[in-house]
Amino acid sequence: MKSILLIGLGRFGKHIAMDLSQLGHQVMAIDKVEDRVNAVLPFVTNAQIGDSTNADFLESLGTRNFDVCIVAIGNDFQSSLETTSLLKELGAKLVVSRASRDVQAKFLLRNGADEVVYPERQLAKWTAIRYSADHILDYMELDGDHAIFEVQIPREWIGRTIGKIDIRKKYNINIMGVKKNGKLDLAITPDTVMAEGETIMVLGRFRDLQKCFHI
C-alpha cells in the first residue's frame, strides 16, 4: 500500500482516485473546485479544497511524506507546471504529471516531473489498434518495442497444440495464457490445445506481433 497525493479531480483525476481506492492505497485528493472534491470523498482517505499553486498550502500537506504525487490537472497547463515545480522544490519523492502534447512534457520534465503520462494519446493508440482489426480484443504497450495483445485464436490454429504452432520459434512471440469465458488460464504447456471460442495473451516485439497476426 502506498500513500499518494492526487492533485486535479477532473474526469481523469476522479478515475485515478477510484482505481487507487480499489487497489487499497491511501489517497489525499486536492482540487480548488468544491464539487469535484465532494465527488471523490467516497473513494479517498482524505480530500481538501485548495490551490496547488500556493506553496504554503502544498507544504501544509506534508508533500515529502507521500510515496507518489500525481498532478492530473488537465485544462490549465500553467497551474500544472507550477504545481509540478513546487512539489519537487518541497521534496516530493516521485512526481508524475499529465501532459497532452510533447512540448508540455518537455517543460514538465525540466521543472520537476519525474515521469509524464499522456492519457489522451495512450487511449487514442489503444482505440486505433483495438478497433482497426476484428481479432484484436485488448492491447498493452510495455515500451516502445514490446506489447501484450489479447487476440482471437486464428482458425488454422484451432485443434493444434501450442507446441505444434511454435510461434516462439517462428516469430519470437510468447503465448502467456489462454482465456475462455472471461477466465485467464496461465497454466499452459506445449501440449495445451487451442480451442474455438478462446483467446490468447501473446507477448512480443510489436513488429513481430504485427507480422504474425496481420495487425
Short mmCIF file of all heavy atoms in Angstrom, two decimals, residues 135 149 151-168 170-171 173-178 192-203 208-209 211-214:
data_model
loop_
_atom_site.label_atom_id
_atom_site.label_comp_id
_atom_site.label_asym_id
_atom_site.label_seq_id
_atom_site.Cartn_x
_atom_site.Cartn_y
_atom_site.Cartn_z
N HIS A 135 -9.95 -9.09 -34.83
CA HIS A 135 -9.49 -10.16 -33.94
C HIS A 135 -8.66 -9.66 -32.76
O HIS A 135 -8.19 -10.45 -31.96
CB HIS A 135 -8.68 -11.18 -34.74
CG HIS A 135 -7.48 -10.61 -35.44
ND1 HIS A 135 -7.58 -9.75 -36.51
CD2 HIS A 135 -6.15 -10.76 -35.20
CE1 HIS A 135 -6.36 -9.41 -36.90
NE2 HIS A 135 -5.49 -10.00 -36.13
N PHE A 149 -0.82 -8.49 -26.45
CA PHE A 149 -2.10 -8.46 -27.15
C PHE A 149 -2.98 -9.61 -26.67
O PHE A 149 -2.48 -10.70 -26.39
CB PHE A 149 -1.91 -8.61 -28.67
CG PHE A 149 -1.50 -7.35 -29.37
CD1 PHE A 149 -0.16 -6.99 -29.45
CD2 PHE A 149 -2.45 -6.53 -29.96
CE1 PHE A 149 0.22 -5.83 -30.11
CE2 PHE A 149 -2.08 -5.38 -30.63
CZ PHE A 149 -0.74 -5.02 -30.70
N VAL A 151 -5.72 -11.74 -28.45
CA VAL A 151 -6.20 -11.95 -29.81
C VAL A 151 -7.05 -13.21 -29.90
O VAL A 151 -6.89 -14.15 -29.11
CB VAL A 151 -5.02 -12.07 -30.82
CG1 VAL A 151 -4.20 -10.80 -30.84
CG2 VAL A 151 -4.15 -13.28 -30.50
N GLN A 152 -7.97 -13.20 -30.84
CA GLN A 152 -8.72 -14.41 -31.13
C GLN A 152 -7.78 -15.44 -31.76
O GLN A 152 -6.88 -15.08 -32.52
CB GLN A 152 -9.87 -14.11 -32.07
CG GLN A 152 -10.95 -13.24 -31.47
CD GLN A 152 -12.05 -12.90 -32.46
OE1 GLN A 152 -11.88 -13.07 -33.65
NE2 GLN A 152 -13.18 -12.44 -31.94
N ILE A 153 -7.99 -16.70 -31.43
CA ILE A 153 -7.14 -17.75 -31.99
C ILE A 153 -7.42 -17.88 -33.49
O ILE A 153 -8.58 -18.06 -33.89
CB ILE A 153 -7.40 -19.09 -31.28
CG1 ILE A 153 -7.03 -18.98 -29.80
CG2 ILE A 153 -6.63 -20.22 -31.95
CD1 ILE A 153 -7.37 -20.20 -28.98
N PRO A 154 -6.40 -17.74 -34.31
CA PRO A 154 -6.61 -17.91 -35.76
C PRO A 154 -7.25 -19.27 -36.06
O PRO A 154 -6.94 -20.28 -35.42
CB PRO A 154 -5.18 -17.83 -36.32
CG PRO A 154 -4.43 -17.00 -35.32
CD PRO A 154 -5.02 -17.39 -33.98
N ARG A 155 -8.13 -19.30 -37.05
CA ARG A 155 -8.89 -20.52 -37.36
C ARG A 155 -7.98 -21.71 -37.67
O ARG A 155 -8.27 -22.84 -37.29
CB ARG A 155 -9.84 -20.25 -38.53
CG ARG A 155 -10.71 -21.44 -38.90
CD ARG A 155 -11.95 -21.01 -39.63
NE ARG A 155 -12.78 -20.16 -38.79
CZ ARG A 155 -13.63 -20.64 -37.87
NH1 ARG A 155 -13.73 -21.96 -37.69
NH2 ARG A 155 -14.36 -19.84 -37.15
N GLU A 156 -6.84 -21.42 -38.32
CA GLU A 156 -5.96 -22.53 -38.71
C GLU A 156 -5.21 -23.12 -37.51
O GLU A 156 -4.57 -24.16 -37.63
CB GLU A 156 -4.96 -22.06 -39.77
CG GLU A 156 -4.04 -20.92 -39.35
CD GLU A 156 -4.62 -19.55 -39.66
OE1 GLU A 156 -5.87 -19.45 -39.80
OE2 GLU A 156 -3.84 -18.59 -39.78
N TRP A 157 -5.27 -22.45 -36.33
CA TRP A 157 -4.63 -22.98 -35.14
C TRP A 157 -5.56 -23.86 -34.31
O TRP A 157 -5.10 -24.58 -33.42
CB TRP A 157 -4.13 -21.84 -34.25
CG TRP A 157 -3.01 -21.03 -34.85
CD1 TRP A 157 -2.48 -21.15 -36.10
CD2 TRP A 157 -2.32 -19.97 -34.21
NE1 TRP A 157 -1.48 -20.23 -36.29
CE2 TRP A 157 -1.35 -19.49 -35.15
CE3 TRP A 157 -2.38 -19.37 -32.96
CZ2 TRP A 157 -0.48 -18.44 -34.86
CZ3 TRP A 157 -1.53 -18.32 -32.67
CH2 TRP A 157 -0.58 -17.87 -33.59
N ILE A 158 -6.85 -23.76 -34.53
CA ILE A 158 -7.82 -24.49 -33.70
C ILE A 158 -7.59 -26.00 -33.83
O ILE A 158 -7.46 -26.54 -34.94
CB ILE A 158 -9.25 -24.12 -34.12
CG1 ILE A 158 -9.51 -22.65 -33.78
CG2 ILE A 158 -10.27 -25.01 -33.41
CD1 ILE A 158 -10.85 -22.13 -34.28
N GLY A 159 -7.52 -26.67 -32.67
CA GLY A 159 -7.28 -28.10 -32.63
C GLY A 159 -5.82 -28.47 -32.57
O GLY A 159 -5.48 -29.65 -32.40
N ARG A 160 -4.94 -27.49 -32.68
CA ARG A 160 -3.50 -27.75 -32.62
C ARG A 160 -2.95 -27.35 -31.25
O ARG A 160 -3.53 -26.53 -30.53
CB ARG A 160 -2.77 -26.98 -33.72
CG ARG A 160 -3.24 -27.34 -35.12
CD ARG A 160 -2.58 -26.45 -36.16
NE ARG A 160 -1.14 -26.69 -36.23
CZ ARG A 160 -0.30 -25.93 -36.95
NH1 ARG A 160 -0.77 -24.91 -37.64
NH2 ARG A 160 0.98 -26.21 -36.97
N THR A 161 -1.82 -27.93 -30.88
CA THR A 161 -1.21 -27.61 -29.60
C THR A 161 -0.29 -26.40 -29.74
O THR A 161 0.15 -26.05 -30.85
CB THR A 161 -0.38 -28.79 -29.06
OG1 THR A 161 0.74 -29.01 -29.95
CG2 THR A 161 -1.22 -30.05 -28.95
N ILE A 162 0.00 -25.77 -28.61
CA ILE A 162 0.91 -24.63 -28.60
C ILE A 162 2.28 -25.04 -29.13
O ILE A 162 2.93 -24.29 -29.85
CB ILE A 162 1.02 -24.06 -27.16
CG1 ILE A 162 -0.29 -23.37 -26.77
CG2 ILE A 162 2.18 -23.08 -27.06
CD1 ILE A 162 -0.32 -22.85 -25.35
N GLY A 163 2.69 -26.26 -28.78
CA GLY A 163 3.98 -26.74 -29.26
C GLY A 163 4.03 -26.91 -30.76
O GLY A 163 5.04 -26.60 -31.40
N LYS A 164 2.91 -27.35 -31.35
CA LYS A 164 2.86 -27.53 -32.80
C LYS A 164 2.85 -26.19 -33.54
O LYS A 164 3.43 -26.04 -34.61
CB LYS A 164 1.63 -28.35 -33.18
CG LYS A 164 1.71 -29.83 -32.83
CD LYS A 164 2.71 -30.55 -33.74
CE LYS A 164 2.69 -32.06 -33.47
NZ LYS A 164 3.65 -32.78 -34.35
N ILE A 165 2.15 -25.22 -32.95
CA ILE A 165 2.09 -23.90 -33.57
C ILE A 165 3.47 -23.24 -33.55
O ILE A 165 3.93 -22.67 -34.54
CB ILE A 165 1.07 -23.02 -32.82
CG1 ILE A 165 -0.33 -23.60 -32.98
CG2 ILE A 165 1.11 -21.59 -33.33
CD1 ILE A 165 -1.35 -23.03 -32.03
N ASP A 166 4.14 -23.32 -32.38
CA ASP A 166 5.53 -22.87 -32.21
C ASP A 166 5.78 -21.46 -32.74
O ASP A 166 6.73 -21.22 -33.49
CB ASP A 166 6.48 -23.86 -32.89
CG ASP A 166 7.90 -23.75 -32.33
OD1 ASP A 166 8.06 -23.10 -31.28
OD2 ASP A 166 8.82 -24.29 -32.95
N ILE A 167 4.95 -20.51 -32.32
CA ILE A 167 5.18 -19.13 -32.78
C ILE A 167 6.39 -18.49 -32.08
O ILE A 167 6.88 -17.47 -32.53
CB ILE A 167 3.93 -18.25 -32.61
CG1 ILE A 167 3.52 -18.15 -31.13
CG2 ILE A 167 2.79 -18.75 -33.46
CD1 ILE A 167 2.43 -17.13 -30.90
N ARG A 168 6.83 -19.12 -31.00
CA ARG A 168 8.04 -18.58 -30.35
C ARG A 168 9.25 -18.74 -31.27
O ARG A 168 10.09 -17.84 -31.38
CB ARG A 168 8.28 -19.29 -29.02
CG ARG A 168 9.46 -18.72 -28.25
CD ARG A 168 9.56 -19.33 -26.87
NE ARG A 168 10.60 -18.69 -26.09
CZ ARG A 168 10.88 -19.00 -24.84
NH1 ARG A 168 10.17 -19.94 -24.21
NH2 ARG A 168 11.85 -18.38 -24.19
N LYS A 170 9.05 -19.29 -34.67
CA LYS A 170 8.81 -18.66 -35.96
C LYS A 170 8.81 -17.14 -35.89
O LYS A 170 9.30 -16.46 -36.80
CB LYS A 170 7.47 -19.13 -36.53
CG LYS A 170 7.43 -20.62 -36.86
CD LYS A 170 6.04 -21.02 -37.34
CE LYS A 170 5.98 -22.51 -37.64
NZ LYS A 170 4.61 -22.94 -38.04
N TYR A 171 8.24 -16.59 -34.80
CA TYR A 171 8.07 -15.14 -34.73
C TYR A 171 8.68 -14.50 -33.47
O TYR A 171 8.58 -13.29 -33.29
CB TYR A 171 6.57 -14.79 -34.76
CG TYR A 171 5.88 -15.18 -36.04
CD1 TYR A 171 5.13 -16.34 -36.13
CD2 TYR A 171 5.96 -14.36 -37.17
CE1 TYR A 171 4.47 -16.70 -37.30
CE2 TYR A 171 5.31 -14.70 -38.35
CZ TYR A 171 4.57 -15.87 -38.41
OH TYR A 171 3.92 -16.21 -39.56
N ILE A 173 7.52 -14.88 -30.47
CA ILE A 173 6.37 -14.43 -29.68
C ILE A 173 6.03 -15.50 -28.64
O ILE A 173 6.02 -16.69 -28.95
CB ILE A 173 5.16 -14.20 -30.61
CG1 ILE A 173 5.43 -13.02 -31.54
CG2 ILE A 173 3.89 -13.96 -29.80
CD1 ILE A 173 4.37 -12.85 -32.61
N ASN A 174 5.76 -15.05 -27.42
CA ASN A 174 5.40 -15.98 -26.34
C ASN A 174 3.89 -15.96 -26.10
O ASN A 174 3.29 -14.87 -25.97
CB ASN A 174 6.11 -15.60 -25.04
CG ASN A 174 7.61 -15.83 -25.12
OD1 ASN A 174 8.05 -16.94 -25.40
ND2 ASN A 174 8.39 -14.79 -24.89
N ILE A 175 3.28 -17.14 -26.01
CA ILE A 175 1.89 -17.25 -25.59
C ILE A 175 1.89 -17.33 -24.06
O ILE A 175 2.42 -18.26 -23.47
CB ILE A 175 1.21 -18.49 -26.20
CG1 ILE A 175 1.18 -18.38 -27.73
CG2 ILE A 175 -0.21 -18.64 -25.66
CD1 ILE A 175 0.58 -19.60 -28.43
N MET A 176 1.29 -16.31 -23.42
CA MET A 176 1.34 -16.21 -21.96
C MET A 176 0.19 -16.93 -21.28
O MET A 176 0.31 -17.39 -20.15
CB MET A 176 1.32 -14.73 -21.55
CG MET A 176 2.46 -13.91 -22.11
SD MET A 176 2.24 -12.17 -21.75
CE MET A 176 2.25 -12.19 -19.97
N GLY A 177 -0.96 -17.01 -21.97
CA GLY A 177 -2.11 -17.64 -21.35
C GLY A 177 -3.25 -17.79 -22.34
O GLY A 177 -3.23 -17.23 -23.43
N VAL A 178 -4.24 -18.56 -21.93
CA VAL A 178 -5.44 -18.80 -22.73
C VAL A 178 -6.64 -18.31 -21.94
O VAL A 178 -6.75 -18.57 -20.73
CB VAL A 178 -5.60 -20.30 -23.06
CG1 VAL A 178 -6.90 -20.54 -23.80
CG2 VAL A 178 -4.42 -20.81 -23.88
N THR A 192 -0.93 -27.86 -24.53
CA THR A 192 -2.23 -27.20 -24.46
C THR A 192 -2.82 -27.05 -25.87
O THR A 192 -2.16 -26.54 -26.77
CB THR A 192 -2.11 -25.80 -23.80
OG1 THR A 192 -1.62 -25.96 -22.46
CG2 THR A 192 -3.46 -25.10 -23.76
N VAL A 193 -4.07 -27.47 -26.04
CA VAL A 193 -4.72 -27.44 -27.35
C VAL A 193 -5.54 -26.16 -27.51
O VAL A 193 -6.30 -25.78 -26.61
CB VAL A 193 -5.64 -28.67 -27.54
CG1 VAL A 193 -6.36 -28.60 -28.88
CG2 VAL A 193 -4.83 -29.96 -27.42
N MET A 194 -5.37 -25.50 -28.64
CA MET A 194 -6.14 -24.31 -28.95
C MET A 194 -7.56 -24.70 -29.34
O MET A 194 -7.76 -25.57 -30.21
CB MET A 194 -5.51 -23.55 -30.12
CG MET A 194 -4.07 -23.10 -29.90
SD MET A 194 -3.91 -21.69 -28.76
CE MET A 194 -3.64 -22.55 -27.20
N ALA A 195 -8.56 -24.06 -28.70
CA ALA A 195 -9.95 -24.43 -28.95
C ALA A 195 -10.75 -23.24 -29.48
O ALA A 195 -10.43 -22.08 -29.20
CB ALA A 195 -10.58 -24.95 -27.66
N GLU A 196 -11.77 -23.52 -30.21
CA GLU A 196 -12.62 -22.47 -30.76
C GLU A 196 -13.31 -21.72 -29.64
O GLU A 196 -13.72 -22.30 -28.63
CB GLU A 196 -13.66 -23.09 -31.70
CG GLU A 196 -14.43 -22.06 -32.50
CD GLU A 196 -15.25 -22.70 -33.62
OE1 GLU A 196 -15.23 -23.95 -33.73
OE2 GLU A 196 -15.89 -21.95 -34.37
N GLY A 197 -13.43 -20.41 -29.79
CA GLY A 197 -14.08 -19.58 -28.78
C GLY A 197 -13.13 -19.03 -27.74
O GLY A 197 -13.53 -18.22 -26.90
N GLU A 198 -11.87 -19.49 -27.77
CA GLU A 198 -10.88 -19.00 -26.82
C GLU A 198 -10.09 -17.83 -27.42
O GLU A 198 -10.07 -17.63 -28.63
CB GLU A 198 -9.91 -20.12 -26.43
CG GLU A 198 -10.56 -21.27 -25.69
CD GLU A 198 -9.56 -22.37 -25.36
OE1 GLU A 198 -8.49 -22.41 -25.99
OE2 GLU A 198 -9.88 -23.19 -24.49
N THR A 199 -9.44 -17.09 -26.54
CA THR A 199 -8.48 -16.07 -26.97
C THR A 199 -7.16 -16.35 -26.28
O THR A 199 -7.11 -17.08 -25.28
CB THR A 199 -8.96 -14.65 -26.62
OG1 THR A 199 -9.09 -14.52 -25.19
CG2 THR A 199 -10.28 -14.34 -27.29
N ILE A 200 -6.09 -15.79 -26.80
CA ILE A 200 -4.78 -15.99 -26.20
C ILE A 200 -4.11 -14.64 -25.91
O ILE A 200 -4.35 -13.64 -26.60
CB ILE A 200 -3.85 -16.82 -27.11
CG1 ILE A 200 -3.82 -16.26 -28.54
CG2 ILE A 200 -4.28 -18.28 -27.11
CD1 ILE A 200 -2.84 -16.97 -29.46
N MET A 201 -3.31 -14.63 -24.85
CA MET A 201 -2.50 -13.46 -24.50
C MET A 201 -1.10 -13.71 -25.04
O MET A 201 -0.46 -14.72 -24.68
CB MET A 201 -2.46 -13.27 -22.98
CG MET A 201 -3.82 -13.23 -22.32
SD MET A 201 -4.85 -11.85 -22.83
CE MET A 201 -3.91 -10.48 -22.16
N VAL A 202 -0.62 -12.82 -25.90
CA VAL A 202 0.68 -13.01 -26.53
C VAL A 202 1.59 -11.81 -26.24
O VAL A 202 1.14 -10.67 -26.21
CB VAL A 202 0.55 -13.24 -28.05
CG1 VAL A 202 -0.10 -14.58 -28.32
CG2 VAL A 202 -0.26 -12.12 -28.71
N LEU A 203 2.86 -12.09 -26.06
CA LEU A 203 3.86 -11.07 -25.74
C LEU A 203 4.99 -11.13 -26.76
O LEU A 203 5.49 -12.21 -27.09
CB LEU A 203 4.42 -11.32 -24.33
CG LEU A 203 5.71 -10.58 -23.95
CD1 LEU A 203 5.48 -9.08 -23.88
CD2 LEU A 203 6.24 -11.11 -22.61
N ASP A 208 6.87 -7.96 -34.67
CA ASP A 208 6.65 -9.40 -34.81
C ASP A 208 5.17 -9.75 -34.64
O ASP A 208 4.63 -10.61 -35.34
CB ASP A 208 7.49 -10.17 -33.78
CG ASP A 208 8.98 -10.04 -34.03
OD1 ASP A 208 9.36 -9.87 -35.20
OD2 ASP A 208 9.76 -10.10 -33.07
N LEU A 209 4.53 -9.07 -33.69
CA LEU A 209 3.11 -9.30 -33.47
C LEU A 209 2.29 -8.85 -34.69
O LEU A 209 1.34 -9.51 -35.09
CB LEU A 209 2.65 -8.54 -32.22
CG LEU A 209 3.19 -9.07 -30.88
CD1 LEU A 209 3.04 -8.03 -29.80
CD2 LEU A 209 2.48 -10.36 -30.49
N LYS A 211 3.29 -8.81 -37.75
CA LYS A 211 3.53 -9.77 -38.84
C LYS A 211 2.75 -11.06 -38.61
O LYS A 211 2.12 -11.60 -39.54
CB LYS A 211 5.02 -10.06 -38.96
CG LYS A 211 5.39 -10.95 -40.13
CD LYS A 211 6.91 -11.14 -40.23
CE LYS A 211 7.29 -12.02 -41.39
NZ LYS A 211 8.77 -12.20 -41.46
N CYS A 212 2.77 -11.55 -37.39
CA CYS A 212 2.13 -12.83 -37.10
C CYS A 212 0.61 -12.75 -37.19
O CYS A 212 -0.03 -13.64 -37.74
CB CYS A 212 2.55 -13.30 -35.71
SG CYS A 212 1.84 -14.90 -35.19
N PHE A 213 0.05 -11.66 -36.65
CA PHE A 213 -1.42 -11.56 -36.56
C PHE A 213 -2.01 -10.57 -37.56
O PHE A 213 -3.17 -10.20 -37.44
CB PHE A 213 -1.81 -11.20 -35.12
CG PHE A 213 -1.43 -12.25 -34.12
CD1 PHE A 213 -0.31 -12.10 -33.32
CD2 PHE A 213 -2.17 -13.43 -34.02
CE1 PHE A 213 0.06 -13.09 -32.40
CE2 PHE A 213 -1.81 -14.41 -33.10
CZ PHE A 213 -0.70 -14.25 -32.31
N HIS A 214 -1.20 -10.12 -38.50
CA HIS A 214 -1.68 -9.26 -39.58
C HIS A 214 -2.37 -8.00 -39.03
O HIS A 214 -3.47 -7.64 -39.45
CB HIS A 214 -2.63 -10.03 -40.49
CG HIS A 214 -2.09 -11.33 -40.98
ND1 HIS A 214 -1.02 -11.42 -41.86
CD2 HIS A 214 -2.42 -12.62 -40.68
CE1 HIS A 214 -0.75 -12.68 -42.09
NE2 HIS A 214 -1.57 -13.43 -41.38
#
